[in-house]
C-alpha cells in the first residue's frame, strides 16, 4: 500500500516548499522596511525644505519690522527726548499679518511632521507669553502709575531668543542658534548692569537690541531663502 501523499499536481510526496515561502516573505518584509525608511527620509527632507521655502520670509518680515520700529523709536526719543514715542512699539501688532499668511500656507501643506508641529508649538508659546507680558505691563501701569514696559524688552531678548534657538536646533540652522544665544547673552549683560547699578544708555542698548534681531531673524531668514532657492534649482 502506498502511504505517500499525492499533491494537487499529482506528484507524490510534493509538500509546499516552506523554505522558499519564508525567503519570499523575508524579502518582502525587507523591501517594505526599506521603503518605509525611504518614505520617512523623504518626509523629513520635504519638511525641512518647506520650512526653508515658506518660513524664511516670515523671519525676514518679523526681523525687518522689529528693526524698523526699534530704529524709529530710538531716533525719535533721541531727537525729542519725549518717551511717548515708545508707543510706536504697538506697531508690532502688524506682525499678526505674517502669522496669518504662514498659517494659511501650513494648511495647504497637507501632512505636518513632528518638526512642523514642534516649531508651531514653540512659536505659539512665544506668542502667548508675549500677550501675557503685555497684559501684565498694562495691569502694573494702571495699578501703580509707573512704567513697567522694560519687561517686554527683556521678553524680546530672552523668550524670543529661546524660541529662535529651539527652531534653529530643530531645523539644524546654525545661524538661528547663534543669533538666539547672542540675544540671551545681551539680555544677561543688561540685567547685570541693572543689578550692579550701571546706568543703561540708549546710545548702546538700542543698537545692541537691533543687532540681536538682525542676527536672530534677518540673517537666518536670508540663509533660509538662499537654501530654498538652491533646492528649487536642483529640483
Amino acid at each position: 500500500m502506498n502511504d505517500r501523499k499525492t499533491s494537487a499536481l499529482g506528484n507524490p510526496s510534493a509538500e509546499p516548499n516552506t523554505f522558499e515561502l519564508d525567503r519570499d516573505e523575508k524579502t518582502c518584509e525587507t523591501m517594505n522596511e526599506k521603503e518605509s525608511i525611504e518614505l520617512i527620509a523623504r518626509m523629513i527632507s520635504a519638511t525641512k525644505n518647506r520650512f526653508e521655502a515658506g518660513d524664511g520670509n516670515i523671519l525676514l518680515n518679523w526681523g525687518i519690522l522689529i528693526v524698523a520700529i526699534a530704529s524709529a523709536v530710538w531716533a525719535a526719543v533721541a531727537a525729542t527726548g519725549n518717551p511717548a514715542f515708545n508707543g510706536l512699539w504697538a506697531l508690532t501688532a502688524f506682525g499678526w499679518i505674517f502669522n496669518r499668511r504662514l498659517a494659511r500656507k501650513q494648511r495647504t501643506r497637507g501632512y505636518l511632521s513632528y518638526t512642523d508641529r514642534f516649531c508651531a508649538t514653540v512659536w505659539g508659546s512665544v506668542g502667548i507669553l508675549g500677550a501675557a507680558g503685555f497684559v501684565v505691563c498694562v495691569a502694573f501701569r494702571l495699578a501703580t502709575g509707573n512704567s513697567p514696559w522694560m519687561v517686554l524688552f527683556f521678553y524680546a531678548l530672552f523668550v524670543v531668543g529661546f524660541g529662535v534657538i529651539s527652531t534653529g536646533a530643530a531645523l539644524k540652522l546654525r545661524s538661528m542658534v547663534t543669533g538666539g544665544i547672542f540675544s540671551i547673552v545681551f539680555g544677561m549683560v543688561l540685567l547685570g548692569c541693572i543689578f550692579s547699578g550701571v546706568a543703561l544708555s540708549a546710545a548702546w542698548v538700542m543698537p545692541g537690541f537691533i543687532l540681536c534681531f538682525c542676527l536672530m531673524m534677518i540673517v537666518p531668514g536670508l540663509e533660509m531663502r538662499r537654501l530654498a532657492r538652491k533646492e528649487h534649482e536642483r529640483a
Side-chain angles (χ1 to χ4, degrees), residues 12 16 18 21 24-26 38 41 54 56 65 71 95 102 105 111 129 132 147 154 157 160 171 217 221 225 230 235:
T18 57
L21 289 175
D24 291 341
E25 289 176 359
K26 289 180 179 178
E38 290 175 358
L65 175 65
S71 300
L102 177 62
K105 285 183 180 180
Y111 173 79
L129 290 172
S147 179
F154 285 105
L157 295 175
V160 176
L171 300 180
M217 294 187 170
R225 289 182 65 176
K230 288 175 64 176

Side-chain angles (χ1 to χ4, degrees), residues 75-202:
V77 173
T80 65
N82 186 356
F85 281 103
N86 282 293
L88 292 172
W89 286 109
L91 294 174
T92 54
F94 283 103
W96 71 272
I97 297 173
F98 311 144
N99 292 351
R100 285 179 62 86
R101 290 177 61 187
L102 177 62
R104 283 199 297 269
K105 285 183 180 180
Q106 286 180 334
R107 282 196 292 269
T108 62
R109 287 175 179 175
Y111 173 79
L112 292 179
S113 73
Y114 173 80
T115 304
D116 293 318
R117 293 193 295 271
F118 174 79
C119 292
T121 301
V122 167
W123 287 104
S125 301
V126 169
I128 291 171
L129 290 172
F134 177 79
V135 171
V136 168
C137 288
V138 170
F140 274 95
R141 174 67 176 175
L142 295 176
T144 66
N146 296 323
S147 179
W149 299 107
M150 197 70 177
V151 170
L152 292 180
F153 194 84
F154 285 105
Y155 155 82
L157 295 175
F158 286 106
V159 179
V160 176
F162 273 116
V164 169
I165 291 173
S166 301
T167 304
L171 300 180
K172 297 181 180 179
L173 204 64
R174 186 175 298 177
S175 61
M176 289 186 75
V177 176
T178 303
I181 291 173
F182 183 89
S183 175
I184 292 172
V185 170
F186 183 69
M188 290 179 177
V189 170
L190 295 185
L191 286 178
C193 290
I194 291 172
F195 288 113
S196 301
V198 177
L200 299 181
S201 171

